[in-house]
Amino acid sequence: MAIEFGDTQRSLSDTLNGMIASIRGETITLRELMTEIGEQGFLLLCALLTLPFLLPVSIPGVSTVFGAAIILISVSITLNRLPWVPRRILDRKIETEKLVPTLQKGASIVSKLDRYVRPRLGFLTQGIMMNRFNGLMIMAGGILLMFPLGLIPLSNTLPGIAILLLSLGIIQRDGLMVAGGYLFLIATTVYFTVLAYMAFAAGQGLSTFFVS
């Protein structure tokens, strides 16, 4: 079944705040979030799932679940099909007491972007090939988000911002935002490469110390 990612008539922050306000109960699952999204589109769900990573607050298990969901949604964007999500991910319970305040703070950050979002640089948001390419870029962000580096500063924030900008740019046909998403993906890749090199160098130094 094909899906259509049309332009939203409401600002992104208004839509996100409306979805956040609808969250009820002590826990919520990804299945319930997807049901709440409805016809607004899964790109909005991608944007919503990035909000916890815009703040220096860690909610255990969120990056794995949300990252996996973003990857699966990105596959649907790339193939223009409704996403299949494993039941284990759909029914994973997350405490709303921790999640909702984080989402609200993230939405307040996003609201500052509303005035700058407008259709421009259409060649980055229009056409089947660009839709597929942007879907792959969101997938890359989801993979980077799932890296087990949650305790390292910016390791979740950088890919989260990339996914948010890509989602926002596609929804609002703002190629500049999409380009910003590309840049944050590059920054994340460079950052992770530096971390890997530092870890390797530290390991080499320790091995040399003990051998000598």
Side-chain angles (χ1 to χ4, degrees):
M1 180 179 179
I3 52 177
E4 180 67 26
F5 296 114
D7 300 335
T8 178
Q9 298 301 313
R10 301 171 63 193
S11 68
L12 183 63
S13 59
D14 285 346
T15 305
L16 293 176
N17 282 320
M19 291 189 296
I20 294 169
S22 68
I23 295 176
R24 298 286 186 273
E26 296 181 356
T27 62
I28 191 168
T29 64
L30 183 60
R31 184 190 302 276
E32 292 167 338
L33 278 175
M34 292 178 71
T35 301
E36 193 62 42
I37 288 288
E39 63 184 11
Q40 288 290 347
F42 289 102
L43 281 168
L44 287 175
L45 181 57
C46 276
L48 180 69
L49 297 181
T50 65
L51 299 186
F53 310 113
L54 304 183
L55 303 166
V57 177
S58 176
I59 303 177
V62 166
S63 63
T64 301
V65 176
F66 284 11
I70 288 170
I71 291 172
L72 292 169
I73 292 170
S74 71
V75 172
S76 75
I77 296 170
T78 304
L79 301 178
N80 196 35
R81 292 291 185 272
L82 288 173
W84 173 83
V85 182
R87 182 177 299 178
R88 181 165 56 91
I89 295 177
L90 280 175
D91 295 332
R92 174 80 173 268
K93 294 184 180 297
I94 301 171
E95 294 182 15
T96 56
E97 182 180 2
K98 297 179 180 179
L99 179 63
V100 171
T102 304
L103 293 178
Q104 290 172 335
K105 291 178 182 177
S108 68
I109 294 175
V110 173
S111 67
K112 296 179 173 60
L113 297 176
D114 281 342
R115 70 185 70 179
Y116 304 109
V117 181
R118 61 181 183 275
R120 51 191 164 180
L121 301 182
F123 66 94
L124 291 178
T125 62
Q126 297 172 358
I128 295 176
M129 294 306 297
M130 284 310 305
N131 284 339
R132 290 179 176 176
F133 179 76
N134 288 332
L136 290 174
M137 292 300 98
I138 293 176
M139 183 188 302
I143 293 171
L144 292 171
L145 190 62
M146 289 187 70
F147 273 40
L149 302 173
L151 297 179
I152 298 177
L154 302 179
S155 61
N156 285 337
T157 303
L158 290 176
I161 292 175
I163 297 167
L164 175 64
L165 292 178
L166 286 165
S167 301
L168 188 153
I170 298 170
I171 292 170
Q172 303 287 0
R173 301 295 186 263
D174 190 337
L176 187 60
M177 289 289 176
V178 171
Y182 299 160
L183 290 177
F184 270 94
L185 283 179
I186 293 172
T188 305
T189 303
V190 171
Y191 183 50
F192 282 12
T193 301
V194 171
L195 290 176
Y197 175 78
M198 292 173 62
F200 175 76
Q204 289 290 95
L206 286 174
S207 63
T208 302
F209 174 78
F210 285 112
V211 169
S212 60

